[in-house]
Amino acid sequence: MTAKPFDLGAAILHFFNCLSRNPRGAIWIGVCQLVLIGVLTLISFVVLWPAFAGFLDLLMDDANGTLEESEVLGRLLGIFGPFFGFFALSVPVGIVASLAVQGAWLRYLTKGEVRPVIPFRFGGDEVRLLGVNIMYAILMVVGYAGVILLVVLAGVGGALAGGESSAGGVAVLLAILVFLGVMVGVLMLAVKLASAPAMTIREGQFRFFESWTATQGVFWKMLVAYLAVGVMMMVVSSVVGIVSQMVLLGLFMPLIDTLAQMPPDGDPEVVFDMFLEALSTPTAKIGLAVAFLASYGGQIMMEAMWHSVGAYNAIRNDDDASAQTDASHLDSDHPLGASPSEG
């Protein structure tokens, strides 16, 4: 397989290039992701509201620290105990939702494809992505244990080699050097294996260590691309954060002024009632919705941007040079147009 040359600018701007070719597809995936997360959040809030209310009551009762620790622990167990089953169920549901979202974005970024009606699926692509993420998790656990072991061994070796007078300093120095070396290795491993999810979706087969080969000779360019995308994500995050903070500050400034004038030993229940009253106004609800949409919309955009570098490299290494990566042809039954055929 002969890969195309790595274009650093194209790698950095791959998400925006895809967005320019098919903006409706990206918007549709983002809207569906927002709805999915919103529905799951609403269900969780409705189911767990009794636990939240009980926890708030506990905070009110223990506002002055009068309850004993055993009583607090007993009440916490009574509050959250009935919901352990829901917590256990939320784990696989969250994993399935995350894989469906990741698969939809990677199909868009690697093949220009948006599945008809609802872009999220849980099929072969998502199962293979689960395998890729499990491999990442295994490497993280092994790497974490290895870092701790190496640092400890370096510290012990430095203490033995340095003698009594300088044992502490040598041990600390060796531990720091080993830690820095391991971090460099982790960074290299992360970049070399970063294309695995995108290659898995692009090629329709499980790909993990093949990502190592796909980054051969372009490691530094990919690292620079990820750094540049990271900077752009920081800019997006800052803009979104400023907008959200301005909205929230404008909504709750009167409440903040009122709270500032209250005595330090004021009744916590009064503060809680004031907070609920401030949230119950239509203006507050609209403002919170705007802040949530801006915040989560920015997060969705940043996630897609982060996936785009690996997606570009997966396309660059694809055997089928004629495979479509744009969205010029869409399925007729899609609400936003038609989805391109797979490469």
Side-chain angles (χ1 to χ4, degrees):
M1 176 174 63
T2 302
K4 298 177 181 178
F6 191 99
D7 187 329
L8 182 59
I12 295 172
L13 300 175
H14 181 65
F15 168 74
F16 298 99
N17 290 333
C18 293
L19 187 63
S20 67
R21 288 193 294 263
N22 184 13
R24 295 179 302 168
I27 293 172
W28 182 243
I29 295 175
V31 168
C32 290
Q33 182 177 350
L34 189 62
V35 171
L36 174 64
I37 300 303
V39 169
L40 293 178
T41 302
L42 181 61
I43 292 173
S44 300
F45 183 79
V46 171
V47 172
L48 297 176
W49 174 248
F52 294 148
F55 183 69
L56 289 174
D57 290 339
L58 176 60
L59 291 179
M60 296 296 181
D61 295 340
D62 194 37
N64 299 320
T66 56
L67 298 180
E68 296 184 1
E69 184 177 351
S70 58
E71 183 179 355
V72 173
L73 292 176
R75 289 183 60 176
L76 284 174
L77 184 60
I79 291 170
F80 292 104
F83 300 96
F84 284 164
F86 179 80
F87 294 143
L89 179 63
S90 66
V91 174
V93 171
I95 291 174
V96 169
S98 298
L99 291 172
V101 170
Q102 185 182 19
W105 277 115
L106 287 175
R107 278 190 289 270
Y108 174 80
L109 292 170
T110 59
K111 297 187 287 189
E113 177 182 330
V114 182
R115 292 292 174 86
V117 187
I118 299 176
F120 305 135
R121 301 289 188 273
F122 193 82
D125 283 346
E126 287 71 25
V127 172
R128 287 185 286 268
L129 276 179
L130 176 61
V132 172
N133 285 284
I134 288 175
M135 291 296 295
Y136 281 145
I138 292 173
L139 283 180
M140 288 177 62
V141 172
V142 173
Y144 183 74
V147 168
I148 294 177
L149 180 62
L150 286 175
V151 170
V152 170
L153 290 177
V156 172
L160 294 176
E164 295 183 1
S165 59
S166 60
V170 172
V172 171
L173 179 61
L174 279 178
I176 292 175
L177 291 176
V178 169
F179 179 78
L180 292 176
V182 170
M183 289 300 100
V184 171
V186 169
L187 177 62
M188 178 179 177
L189 190 64
V191 174
K192 295 289 285 184
L193 298 176
S195 301
M199 292 179 68
T200 297
I201 296 297
R202 173 77 176 182
E203 300 176 24
Q205 300 180 46
F206 179 80
R207 294 287 184 262
F208 188 73
F209 294 107
E210 290 83 355
S211 176
W212 188 282
T213 304
T215 56
Q216 193 72 30
V218 298
F219 169 80
W220 293 109
K221 289 185 178 181
M222 281 197 67
L223 179 60
V224 171
Y226 272 113
L227 291 175
V229 170
V231 171
M232 291 191 295
M233 290 170 61
M234 291 174 61
V235 173
V236 172
S237 178
S238 299
V239 172
V240 170
I242 291 173
V243 172
S244 301
Q245 290 172 17
M246 290 178 63
V247 171
L248 296 176
L249 189 61
L251 288 175
F252 294 107
M253 182 58 74
L255 178 61
I256 294 173
D257 292 338
T258 303
L259 293 176
Q261 298 173 8
M262 293 182 63
D265 56 348
D267 189 354
E269 189 170 353
V270 174
V271 176
F272 182 66
D273 291 339
M274 292 173 59
F275 184 73
L276 287 181
E277 184 179 355
L279 286 177
S280 63
T281 63
T283 303
K285 293 177 181 178
I286 294 173
L288 288 174
V290 170
F292 172 76
L293 290 174
S295 177
Y296 202 76
Q299 182 178 338
I300 291 173
M301 180 178 176
M302 288 186 289
E303 289 176 2
M305 289 170 62
W306 189 250
H307 286 311
S308 65
V309 178
Y312 170 81
N313 196 47
I315 296 171
R316 188 184 68 88
N317 281 273
D318 193 0
D319 275 321
D320 185 3
S322 64
Q324 276 186 296
T325 60
D326 60 35
S328 57
H329 304 286
L330 301 169
D331 294 335
S332 58
D333 58 346
H334 194 280
L336 297 177
S339 173
S341 60
E342 295 185 14

